[in-house]
Amino acid sequence: MDTQKVRTCFTITFTDDQYNRAKGYVEDMKRHPNRIFWQGKQGKTDDELIIEQIAHRILSGFYNNEPFAAAKHIMRMDSSVNI
């Protein structure tokens, strides 16, 4: 099976509640430095980790409790196959 790489940039919106929930998650992960969560995240700031967590939840459907709910959060997407 062939795989391809695509670089995609999303512009998302999020609520204060979503930010605070992600912040709490990152703070909890700091208490567990050996978890898989930390693979590839060395050197990232707390804000980067929080925003990544929000984006992960939006794109994975954690916040999508109704059809097409992701469209409320994803404002724009740019993709490129030339990476």
Side-chain angles (χ1 to χ4, degrees), residues 10-74:
F10 292 91
T11 302
I12 60 173
T13 63
F14 52 89
T15 65
D16 289 340
D17 182 53
Q18 290 168 324
Y19 182 88
N20 291 329
R21 180 178 283 168
K23 183 179 178 182
Y25 182 81
V26 169
E27 288 171 357
D28 182 55
M29 285 297 106
K30 286 182 176 182
R31 292 188 284 272
H32 307 282
N34 295 324
R35 288 198 175 160
I36 195 150
F37 171 83
W38 293 107
Q39 287 187 1
K41 293 183 172 68
Q42 298 81 1
K44 292 191 177 183
T45 67
D46 284 359
D47 226 23
E48 287 174 307
L49 295 171
I50 292 167
I51 298 304
E52 280 184 6
Q53 182 63 25
I54 293 168
H56 168 75
R57 287 180 167 266
I58 288 171
L59 297 172
S60 297
F62 286 101
Y63 294 138
N64 304 343
N65 55 5
E66 60 188 67
F68 308 109
K72 290 189 239 178
H73 300 291
I74 300 170

